[in-house]
Amino acid sequence: FVPKGYRWNNLANTHTVRNQYSFMAIGQDISPVLFADGVNEKGFGAAVLYFPGFAAYDPLPSREDMRPPVAATELLHFLLGQCASVEEADTLLSTIRIVGMEDSITGTVAPLHWILADKSGKCAAVEKTEEGLFVMNNRIGILTNSPGFAWHMTNLRNYSNLSPWQMQDKEWSGVHLPPFGQGSGGLGLPGDYAPPSRFVRAAFQKSHATQPNTPEEAVITGFHLLDSVSIPKGVVMTDRNTADFTQYTACPPRNTFLPPITTVRSPGPSCRGGRSRSLQSAHLEGLSGRFPSLRSRNSPPEASCQPSLLRAVSPTLSAGLLILIWAVFPPESPQPCSARRFPPPSAALPDPG
């Protein structure tokens, strides 16, 4: 849990950021804590996912671009603490530079992209590549890993023949060919664990799952859907002879402060850290203003409270974990978010106003 008003220094050590909103997130403490996914008091949520072979960041030192640098690994913290909606995040992203910085454990720059969603039903995929910054409308509400989001959406057209309905009997040259059992409409749905296959599988099941009527039903439905892309330990091995597996799954409803979580050691859903509390009963109110207060490191220090880590884990599942629930549970009035492309740093920068 990170409280409203918490102040922290960016990894580039150039600015101090003051969070406008409280949020609950899951991550790993590698000094500092790096968050993988979370949701804030306004119902805005985000998750970071691995994006190897495609991510490209802005250079850290830049005399031409004076926008504040935010490391890719701290962008999720930055957005959760400053944004109440996908629209605000879309605007805020044009005011910063996303830079790559090595983490203290691996000594490498993590290639990442992000999925964002809010309680209105808006969802976006964010990618920073050599071509620039892309904030893309994500109506399907799913994100996995490489390739890019646009490729995954195009690839869905290869599976448009899939259906939840049973195939009808066929006849070839007078030979009667009835289908084997139920589920034949999904014949051809990929069952492996590669990112494109997980994207297709999650998109098909989410799009056809029965819409739940209550937040509780939405959580149950969400866990069922995520189970279909959950990776058991040992079935996916890396070239380093280590297992790539799902270590946790989180499904936070819009109005719940502590999300239900399953982990590799506790497969049943539970609320880590105590009983679930509504945001309203917690009396959490965001500060006024749309954008963060970025202070130069030369500014006088101010008192701040320290965040507490909900659970230190290393997530590997990449299927839009916390985003899925909002898309499953019908929003009040869903509106598509804007899809914008910002030019790379070498091109003329748009006017953020």
Side-chain angles (χ1 to χ4, degrees):
F1 170 71
V2 179
K4 176 181 64 179
Y6 173 67
R7 296 181 183 274
W8 54 283
N9 297 325
N10 65 337
L11 289 176
N13 210 31
T14 60
H15 292 79
T16 297
V17 184
R18 183 177 185 272
N19 288 350
Q20 297 194 59
Y21 304 114
S22 302
F23 65 87
M24 182 69 71
I26 302 174
Q28 187 174 20
D29 187 358
I30 60 174
S31 297
V33 175
L34 299 182
F35 296 110
D37 59 68
V39 58
N40 70 14
E41 61 181 278
K42 295 298 183 180
F44 170 78
V48 59
L49 305 118
Y50 215 56
F51 192 40
F54 295 88
Y57 304 125
D58 295 326
L60 180 57
S62 177
R63 295 182 178 179
E64 296 79 19
D65 192 346
M66 301 304 295
R67 293 176 299 169
V70 177
T73 51
E74 65 186 356
L75 182 62
L76 189 125
H77 181 175
F78 184 72
L79 294 177
L80 289 176
Q82 308 302 327
C83 302
S85 66
V86 171
E87 183 179 358
E88 285 190 10
D90 185 16
T91 303
L92 181 59
L93 284 167
S94 66
T95 69
I96 64 171
R97 288 183 294 128
I98 302 177
V99 301
M101 298 187 68
E102 295 181 356
D103 67 69
S104 59
I105 301 299
T106 66
T108 61
V109 176
L112 306 172
H113 62 171
W114 301 264
I115 184 169
L116 318 175
D118 60 35
K119 63 181 180 181
S120 75
K122 293 181 181 179
C123 184
V126 178
E127 294 178 348
K128 185 71 176 68
T129 68
E130 292 181 352
E131 287 72 36
L133 175 65
F134 296 85
V135 182
M136 296 163 284
N137 191 11
N138 187 349
R139 295 186 180 183
I140 202 74
I142 300 293
L143 190 65
T144 55
N145 308 109
S146 302
F149 174 72
W151 184 97
H152 285 294
M153 291 300 295
T154 300
N155 184 49
L156 289 180
R157 297 168 63 180
N158 289 320
Y159 300 91
S160 59
N161 62 297
L162 298 177
S163 169
W165 300 101
Q166 179 76 344
M167 291 178 60
Q168 300 301 309
D169 293 10
K170 303 292 183 180
E171 189 170 293
W172 289 5
S173 301
V175 178
H176 186 221
L177 302 173
F180 288 111
Q182 297 296 319
S184 58
L187 191 63
L189 183 68
D192 63 90
Y193 297 106
S197 299
R198 286 186 284 116
F199 190 100
V200 172
R201 195 158 65 250
F204 171 76
Q205 295 190 0
K206 171 182 168 294
S207 298
H208 294 93
T210 300
Q211 290 290 321
N213 296 316
T214 66
E216 290 74 18
E217 291 180 5
V219 169
I220 295 172
T221 301
F223 275 114
H224 278 303
L225 295 175
L226 290 174
D227 281 345
S228 71
V229 291
S230 179
I231 306 174
K233 188 174 183 179
V235 302
V236 176
M237 302 298 295
T238 70
D239 54 7
R240 303 183 303 277
N241 198 32
T242 58
D244 186 9
F245 63 100
T246 301
Q247 296 198 20
Y248 76 91
T249 305
C251 291
R254 298 194 302 262
N255 63 344
T256 299
F257 202 44
L258 292 178
I261 300 171
T262 65
T263 70
V264 68
R265 293 184 176 88
S266 58
S270 62
C271 293
R272 301 291 171 185
R275 183 173 56 87
S276 176
R277 297 180 293 147
S278 70
L279 294 177
Q280 289 79 7
S281 65
H283 299 291
L284 298 173
E285 298 179 357
L287 298 177
S288 61
R290 296 181 59 193
F291 301 110
S293 173
L294 288 174
R295 292 179 174 269
S296 168
R297 287 303 312 282
N298 296 325
S299 302
E302 299 187 36
S304 64
C305 47
Q306 296 297 318
S308 57
L309 185 64
L310 174 63
R311 186 171 179 86
V313 293
S314 300
T316 59
L317 179 60
S318 304
L321 297 177
L322 63 96
I323 306 308
L324 195 57
I325 289 304
W326 286 309
V328 167
F329 192 64
E332 290 83 4
S333 55
Q335 298 291 332
C337 65
S338 61
R340 299 193 291 139
R341 176 184 182 275
F342 294 107
S346 58
L349 292 172
D351 181 1

